[in-house]
Amino acid sequence: MPDSHISKEFTPNERKRLIILVCTILAFAVMNGTMFNVAIPDIAAAFDLSPSEVSWVLTGYILVFAIGSLMYGKLADMYPIKTLFTIGISIFATGAFIGFISPNYETLLLARLLQAAGGATIPALAFIVPIRFLPNEKGRVFGLISSTVAFASGVGPIIGGVVGGTMNWRVLFLFSVATFFAIPLFRKWLPNEEKRKGSVDIPGALLMAASVAALLIYITTFLWYLLALFVLLFGLFLYRTFTIEKPFIDPLILKNTKYTITALTSFLGTSALFGLIFVIPIMLRDLNELSTLSIGLVLFPGAMAAGLIGQFGGKLIEQKGATTVVKLALLLIASGTFFISTFSGYAAWIIVPCLLIAYLGFPLIQSSTADLISSILPEHQNGVGMGVFNLLNFMAGAFSSAIFGRLLDMQNVSLALNPLAKLGDNIIYSNLYIGLSLVAIVALSVFTLKFRLKHERKLSERPIS
């Protein structure tokens, strides 16, 4: 693509309004995923559903959303961004309207799948917009985008609880219907682009989608044959990827160790954060006997801080470099989870600052790894590269929820892994948070080793004066 659509074509006011538009529409998309968590009991009661049936309102959404994020990333390498936004938001809003009027469970599930199929456009393209149109300030914009994700993730359950409790769970769909009004703004404010040459490997895309679906369903069910199916399908996908001329994912991306290590680091860091977010409400209810609203208030300062740190994080990336910010983010995550491990079982107000420390790592890990990936990959690979990046981040949430949910089922845990933690009913939670600290430390170690070796190699290759 010619370099005709770069930041110099935008006035400061045009850049500002485009960034606000992207962050606003992204907030609606993220909240749509988290608002319904607290509405699950009401939905189950409305349609007389079993827990396994109603869980598909969330699982089905995550499944399609994750696969869609990769698909739209690939399509963004060929089709204009404004066209993809138009199609995606239209499907997203249509699905929301169907959900609002849904007369039965089947229609509701269809509505959620439509929402996911369209909504996946939004995070996929939100990370591509600064790469393509605002390259001179992409670090700052990545920070704002990542802060939006963190903030919306935190306030989504609070909004869901307030709206669902005072009105009706159906009203939550109206937030997503409102995104339809963003389409004319995207059509007007995004530059025109020509369609670029390229093709989509449909069989490869289907194999990738099916393998991801098998893995995500396995994570939520732990049925062994789904894991075997994933191994088979993913093996076929890899075989096709490395044997045809134009595969769905360019194998050069997979062979790029800087890319794979950065994507793995993001996956591990995000897994720790989603594990934190999943376990905290359960711990506060179990150990501190807090209500849903009180739990939301404990989470809120961290979500607010994560939302406010975006611009600072972006400037930090521009000043210190993305690799430094990645390390800082992982240190914050490791420290915050260690403090929660130490103080689990204490008064809830003690958990608030510990949670805030870890939450600050949320926007920093996403913005810094996204910035690094955009610098590592050539322009024509950025779409699919960011697609895989988003796919891994969504899978991190599914992994954490399933694995830590299964670990919480363990009974009679008596061995405390954290010598500073008090002994009692809190041991299982203390151990889980020590585990999250270790995940962050492993990610930090792998990332540091890779990029330090790269730096040392460059020094060794300098000519001797």
Side-chain angles (χ1 to χ4, degrees), residues 83-103:
T83 300
L84 295 177
F85 262 130
T86 301
I87 295 171
I89 294 174
S90 297
I91 297 172
F92 181 63
T94 300
F97 181 73
I98 294 173
F100 177 69
I101 63 173
S102 55

Side-chain angles (χ1 to χ4, degrees), residues 139-206:
R140 182 177 71 86
V141 180
F142 280 145
L144 293 172
I145 289 172
S146 300
S147 294
T148 300
V149 173
F151 177 74
S153 298
V155 302
I158 299 174
I159 294 174
V162 172
V163 173
T166 58
M167 290 180 274
N168 186 282
W169 59 266
R170 293 180 183 274
V171 178
L172 297 175
F173 280 107
L174 296 181
F175 285 87
S176 301
V177 172
T179 61
F180 184 81
F181 297 102
I183 293 177
L185 300 179
F186 276 115
R187 301 291 303 176
K188 182 178 180 181
W189 293 347
L190 282 174
N192 292 317
E193 302 174 85
E194 294 182 1
K195 180 182 178 299
R196 292 191 282 183
K197 292 182 179 180
S199 60
V200 178
D201 171 27
I202 299 299
L206 292 175

Side-chain angles (χ1 to χ4, degrees), residues 390-406:
N390 282 311
L391 173 67
L392 288 173
N393 284 338
F394 291 128
M395 289 180 64
F399 266 117
S400 295
S401 300
I403 292 172
F404 287 102
R406 182 59 62 93

